[in-house]
Every structure is written in C-alpha cells, then in structure tokens.
Amino acid sequence: MTQLAGQKIQHRQLTKLGLFRRFIFLTIGAVLMGVGLEIFLIPNRVIDGGITGISIMLSHLTGWSLGIFLFVLNLPFFFMGYKQIGKTFAFSTLYGIIVLSITTSYLHPIPSLTHDVLLATVFGGITIGVGVGIVIRIGGSLDGTEILSILVNQKIPFSVGETIMFLNLFILGSAGFVYGWDRAMYSLIAYFIAYKTIDVVIQGLDESKSAWIISENYREIGDAILARLGRGVTYLNGEGAYTGDDKRVIFVVITRLEEAKLKSILEDHDPQAFLAIGGVHEVRGGRFKKKDIH
C-alpha cells in the first residue's frame, strides 16, 4: 500500500492517431480564429476580448505585427498552465497560439471580405467562435485569459465565467478610447456572438438534456418512453422528505427535440407528475444510441 502511494500516477499516453487528430483540430481551430480576426474584425476596427483584444490594440498603436503580441503576451500563461493545469493542455495551447500568430501574420495583407461593419462583426464572431470552440473541445486554449481566470478563481469569490466577463468588459470597453465608442459596441456584439458560437461547438447542435420524473405511474411512463422515444430509462429509489414515502424516480437522457414528446407522454399517463429537465454537455457510453421514435 505504501509503495503504491509513493508511486507517481502515470497518465495514459496519446496514440499516434490521437496525437495527429489533436494537432489537426488545433490547427483548424487556430486558423479559423486567425481568419475571423484578419479577414473580418481587424480591417473594420473591431476587436475580440481577452489577450487577443489587448494584442490588437497594441498592434494598432505601435504598428508592430499582431502575431508578435499574441505570442509574447500569451507566453506567460503557457507556463502557468503547464504548472497548474497539465502538460498536454499547456503544449496544446502553445501550439495553437503559435499557429494563430503565424496565421494572422500571413493573412494581414489580405483585404477584408466586407467593409460592412455589422456583417464583419457577425461573421467574424461566428468564425472566431467556431475556431475557439474546436480548440477548447480538443483540450487547449487560444487565449491566456481563460487560464488566468481558472488560476485566480481559487483566490477570489467569483466563478471562472464571471472573472472572464469582468476582464473582457474592461478590455472591450478600452476599445472605445482606441477606435471610438461605436467600434467598442460592435466589439461587444462580436464577443457575444463568438461566446454563443463556442457553446454551440462545445455542446453540439443536438444538445442533450437529462430528465428526472417522479410519478406513481412510473412503470407506464417508463414503458412509453422506451416505446415512443426509443430511449433507455433508469429507475432510482427515492424517499419523500416530508411524507417519508418511498418514491420511484425515472432518469432519462433525451435531445432537446424530444422534450416536447416527453411532456406529451407525461400528459397522457400522469399530468401531475413531477418533471425536472436540465442541460447535459456530453453523453457517452451506456445505451444512449436510440431506436426509432414513434
């Protein structure tokens, strides 16, 4: 037992195929972010949030290449991530930032696809959101702000999301002094679009939901879910805190498109049934692969 406790835990090494897949997706994500910045946002004087936004403003004020600032300003966060979060995450982040820096340098001379600021804001935000979402989903980051927020979260009474929001509001607000307040407002729109697009990429378009159902007719409801939705259900034992009565709880994972059908099943078998539905970020294993619904 002592020998086991003294041994270092060995993490499973990535296979060559897994490593190749990681680098491909990191490259795609970083290139997409570079396209969003240099082909849409920067030529129209709209910025992104985080270290990227600071880099854009410094590049504008000094005339130096954006890629230099992206690499230099994010480099300290690579070392923070290496020590506190993990080697795989840190090197994935470093690789992504290098690809992003090179991409912005190559794309800088290329003119914007549109000079309509609203179109550039929308499509730039979407492109950046897809790129960042791919990188996060594969296990990396393209901006040191996320790493900083994770680290300081242990020392301040705010969540990671709240910390990122505060930092970005300050950074995007600063764009008003550099580009004008109308561009600062467009930057906020671009950031919001990118933020929502990241959620879609990470969670997927076919978002899953977990449903908890408490009913006396649990068996009939469970059979109906199996027959009409093609979803497997799990029966859990529960106890009412007020009455002390034994309860049966139905647990099932569905897609958002099946939510209305589930409610219809409850209306048919027990309109008074308790139902709680929550979002699920990822589902794997088990028997989630469904049958045909009716």
Side-chain angles (χ1 to χ4, degrees):
M1 188 71 177
T2 306
Q3 291 177 346
L4 290 174
Q7 292 176 355
K8 290 184 178 180
I9 297 174
Q10 297 296 322
H11 295 282
R12 182 173 59 87
Q13 298 293 323
L14 285 173
T15 63
K16 290 183 179 180
L17 180 61
L19 192 63
F20 177 75
R21 176 177 175 271
R22 176 178 290 268
F23 278 110
I24 288 295
F25 279 104
L26 286 171
T27 303
I28 292 172
V31 169
L32 282 174
M33 183 173 179
V35 170
L37 291 173
E38 290 289 356
I39 302 300
F40 293 105
L41 297 190
I42 294 175
N44 290 282
R45 297 185 298 164
V46 178
I47 73 168
D48 188 24
I51 301 300
T52 303
I54 296 174
S55 300
I56 293 172
M57 289 187 285
L58 288 175
S59 176
H60 173 77
L61 294 172
T62 63
W64 293 5
S65 170
L66 172 61
I68 294 175
F69 288 107
L70 286 172
F71 181 76
V72 172
L73 294 183
N74 278 298
L75 197 58
F77 299 103
F78 160 74
F79 292 105
M80 291 182 187
Y82 182 87
K83 291 181 178 180
Q84 300 294 330
I85 302 176
K87 181 171 66 174
T88 303
F89 172 84
F91 280 106
S92 297
T93 298
L94 179 63
Y95 175 76
I97 291 171
I98 291 173
V99 174
L100 173 61
S101 302
I102 294 172
T103 301
T104 56
S105 299
Y106 273 105
L107 294 179
H108 187 70
I110 300 176
S112 174
L113 288 181
T114 177
H115 294 289
D116 184 305
V117 183
L118 183 58
L119 282 177
T121 299
V122 172
F123 282 92
I126 292 173
T127 307
I128 289 173
V130 171
V132 173
I134 290 172
V135 172
I136 292 176
R137 186 159 186 169
I138 206 68
S141 175
L142 291 175
D143 195 285
T145 308
E146 288 87 353
I147 301 174
L148 177 64
S149 301
I150 293 171
L151 298 179
V152 302
N153 175 247
Q154 302 172 359
K155 300 180 180 180
I156 60 175
F158 299 106
S159 68
V160 174
E162 289 171 338
T163 306
I164 293 174
M165 181 184 68
F166 292 147
L167 289 173
N168 281 321
L169 285 177
F170 174 76
I171 294 167
L172 294 171
S174 301
F177 297 100
V178 179
Y179 295 112
W181 295 107
D182 61 332
R183 290 305 193 268
M185 288 185 280
Y186 278 118
S187 298
L188 283 169
I189 294 173
Y191 172 73
F192 179 78
I193 293 172
Y195 180 82
K196 290 299 181 183
T197 305
I198 290 170
D199 282 346
V200 172
V201 174
I202 293 175
Q203 297 177 7
L205 290 171
D206 196 17
E207 183 182 354
S208 297
K209 292 180 176 289
S210 62
W212 303 79
I213 305 163
I214 302 176
S215 170
E216 296 296 331
N217 302 328
Y218 66 89
R219 187 68 66 180
E220 292 85 351
I221 293 172
D223 291 343
I225 292 172
L226 282 167
R228 296 176 59 184
L229 288 183
R231 295 294 184 192
V233 301
T234 300
Y235 297 119
L236 306 173
N237 293 318
E239 180 181 339
Y242 182 73
T243 62
D245 295 339
D246 292 334
K247 302 285 185 181
R248 278 296 192 122
V249 182
I250 302 172
F251 174 73
V252 61
V253 176
I254 59 174
T255 68
R256 60 178 177 173
L257 299 178
E258 296 166 344
E259 185 176 340
K261 177 78 74 173
L262 177 64
K263 292 177 180 178
S264 174
I265 291 172
L266 294 185
E267 285 293 326
D268 292 342
H269 294 276
D270 186 0
Q272 303 302 317
F274 172 84
L275 171 66
I277 296 177
V280 177
H281 286 262
E282 184 175 357
V283 179
R284 62 173 63 187
R287 297 183 179 180
F288 187 67
K289 189 175 181 180
K290 58 175 297 190
K291 305 171 185 176
D292 294 333
I293 64 174
H294 305 288

